[in-house]
Amino acid sequence: MILRFQGRDGQFRLTVQPKDQFTSLLSQEKLLTALYEKILENIPKTVDPSTVTLSNKPTGGEERLISSLKDVTVERVGLSHGDQLYIDYQQQPSLSNGHSLKPTSTVSQPHASSNRLNGAAILPTEDYPIAPPPLTSPTATIKNPWEVVQQSALDDRLDKQDGKIPRPKDQKMCRHGAKGMCDYCMPLEPYSPVYLADKKIKHLSFHSHLRKINSATNKPELKSSYMPPLSEPYYRVKRECPSGHPQWPEGICTKCQPSAITLQPQPFRMVDHVEFSSSNLIDSLLDFWRRSGSQRVGFLYGHYDHYDEVPLGIKAVVEAIYEPPQINELDGVTLQEWENEKDVDEVARLCGLQKIGVIFTDLADAGAGDGTVICKRHIDSYFLSSLEIAFAARLQAQNPKATKWSDTGRFGSDFVTCVVSGDEEGNISIFNFQASNSAVEMIRADIVEPSADPSAMLVRGEEEDDGSPSRTRYIPEVFYRRINEYGASVQENAKPSFPVEYLLVTLTHGFPLNATPLFTQTGFPIENREAVGESQEIKTLAKKLGFSKGNGTTGQEGGINAISDFHLLCFLHGIGILSKDEETLLCRVARTHDLSDGFQLLNTPGWATLLAILEESGERPPKRPLPSLMEARAGHTSESDQLAKRVKGVSLR
C-alpha cells in the first residue's frame, strides 16, 4: 500500500506492507526499522529523530511519537491504501543554540544552567560564564547569549552605565525651580544627533549604537520576549537548508541564498580612539624608514579602556609594537610566516596586554631636504586603499569581539588599523581606520577583491579564472547609495566596482599629556631588523642588563627598569631559560617595577642560569653594590650584611 506524509517542508509518499512495524528496538541506543529509515530519508538532516511525530489531522488530531510505536504494525493502526499522515518534528539543539551534540574537548566545562545532568544543583560560585562555543553552522545562534557569553570587563562596566549626557539649566528657556526638569535641560541619550553634531563626533560609539537599536528592538511596554538586538551580516549561502534540497552548488532556494546587498556608510564604530602611550613607539617605527627608506609593518599590543570624549566610548591604548618577519620594499611590505606569534601573544598576556591592531608606514621623502614627505592620502585620492581594506578586514575577522547582545555571541571586532603617512602639509601623521562589518563579511564570503585603483573595490564574478562556474562562492547583487548632483539619494549597481569609502570608518588618535607608559625602557634592538644591521644577541642583552667587560655597571641601563622593555621580554622568552613561573615573575617586575619582586627574581634558578650563559658568552658579571633603596631603609649596614645581601647577578635596582 501507499501512505502519504505531509510536513512543514513538503510532501512525500512511501510504499509499505501491512505487516511493517513503525519501530522495533534493535539495541539499547538506537531505534531503527525500514519504515523509520524511509521517513528520516525524506525529512531534513537537521531534524532530531527523537522528536518526529505522526498525526491523523493537521491540527487537533491524535499525535504520537514514532519512537513510542514499538512493535506496532501499519495494519494494527488501521491505515489503508492512500491514507495521509501529518508529520512534525523539531530541529536538533546544536543548530538552535550553537552547542554541538558531540563533546569538543575532553576538559570539563561548567554548565550555564541551574542543574547538572544528575539533578544536583549548581552553586552560584560554580556557574561561571563561558566563551561562545564553536558553532556547528555559521548561521547558528546561541540561546540566551546574555547568560553564557563572557565579554570583556570593560564592556560589562559600560553596560552598567546609563550613558545619559547631563545638561545644565537653560537660563532663557527653563521656567522651573532648581530641582525641576524640562525638555530644555533633561539629559540627552548617548546617541543624540544634536549632541554628536555639536561635538563634531562623526560615528556613534558601539555601546551608544547598542542602546539605540535596543530601544527600538525591545520595548518593555509590549511585554514581549527579549531578543538580542545585534546580528552580524551574513552574505554566504546557508548550509543545511531546511528545505531538504541538495547543498549548494547542486541546489539552492530562496531560504538559503543571500539577499541583495545595499552598502551604506556604517554609522557606528567599534573603537573610537587610539592612544599611543609614548611617542617613542612611533619614533622607533620611523627609525627603520629613516635608515633604509623602506616601509615597515608592526602589530600593536595594548589594552582597551573607557574614552571620556565620546559617550560610552572605547579607546585602544598601545603599549608596544612588535615587528614580525617581513620583506621591506620602497612601496610596500611582504609579510612572511610568523612562527613565534603565539609566544609573543603569551608574553603580552603575562604583561596584561593583547593584540589590538596593526600599523604600517607609507612614506616617501619629498626631496626638499627639510624632512617633509609626499602627501598620498587626501580627500581627492583615498585614505585607505582597497588592498589595505582587504588586509584589515581579514585581521578583524581573525579577532572577533565577544558580546552577549548578539544572537551569535560575537559582533564586529575591536582590531584597529593605523597608517603612518604624509598629510597635506607634508608632515608625518597617523591615520586610523577600521573596516566595516559589511566589508569583513564581504571579504570572508569572497565577494569583493582589491583593484589596481586604490580608491575602488571590485566585485568578483561568479566564474573562475578559466571561465568555469565557481563552486566555492555565490555572488549576490550588490548596490550602494550615493547623493547625486541634484542632492537626491540614488541607488547604484556596485558592479564592476564601487568606492572604498563604503567599507571603512575613521578613528581619532592622540598621545597622553602626562605619559606613563607600561614599558619605560628603550634601546634594546628590535626584532627582525637584520636588514639595517640591528640584531638581538646575548652580548646586547648583557649590555642592556648592565654587564660590561670592565668592572662596573652603567648607571642608567642597570636596575629594575632595565627589563621593562617588551622586545627584551620577547627575546628572553625565545631563549627558553626561565620557567613559566619565572617568566610570570619577570613580566610582573617589568610591568610594576616592584623592588621586592625584583629581588625575588634574582634568586630564581632560571635567572642564575641566565647569568651563567652571560659569563660563557664572554661577558663577566660585575660586583654588584647594595641597592641604594635598601641602604635608605636600613640606615646603616655592616660589611657582613652587605656580603650576605650581595646577589651574584644583574643589579635590578
Side-chain angles (χ1 to χ4, degrees), residues 529-546:
R529 285 196 174 186
E530 290 78 7
V532 292
E534 187 175 336
S535 61
Q536 297 177 340
E537 300 177 353
I538 295 294
K539 293 183 178 180
T540 312
L541 174 63
K543 182 180 179 181
K544 181 64 178 177
L545 293 181

Side-chain angles (χ1 to χ4, degrees), residues 62-83:
E62 185 179 357
E63 190 175 277
R64 297 285 298 274
L65 289 170
I66 297 182
S67 58
S68 65
L69 300 176
K70 176 186 175 183
D71 298 332
V72 178
T73 62
V74 176
E75 184 180 26
R76 180 180 173 184
V77 177
L79 297 176
S80 59
H81 178 71
D83 287 348

Side-chain angles (χ1 to χ4, degrees), residues 99-119:
H99 294 273
S100 176
L101 295 177
K102 298 181 180 180
T104 57
S105 175
T106 57
V107 181
S108 61
Q109 295 182 352
H111 299 278
S113 61
S114 59
N115 296 279
R116 295 188 176 90
L117 295 179
N118 58 6

Side-chain angles (χ1 to χ4, degrees), residues 360-389:
F360 56 89
T361 61
D362 183 21
L363 297 168
D365 187 36
D370 54 356
T372 57
V373 294
I374 298 176
C375 176
K376 302 179 181 179
R377 302 167 188 265
H378 49 83
I379 192 172
D380 295 326
S381 60
Y382 65 95
F383 290 102
L384 202 64
S385 68
S386 57
L387 180 62
E388 294 164 350
I389 291 178

Side-chain angles (χ1 to χ4, degrees), residues 578-594:
L578 304 180
S579 64
K580 292 184 178 180
D581 294 338
E582 292 168 348
E583 283 191 2
T584 303
L585 179 60
L586 174 69
C587 294
R588 185 164 68 246
V589 172
R591 184 180 72 252
T592 62
H593 316 127
D594 187 79

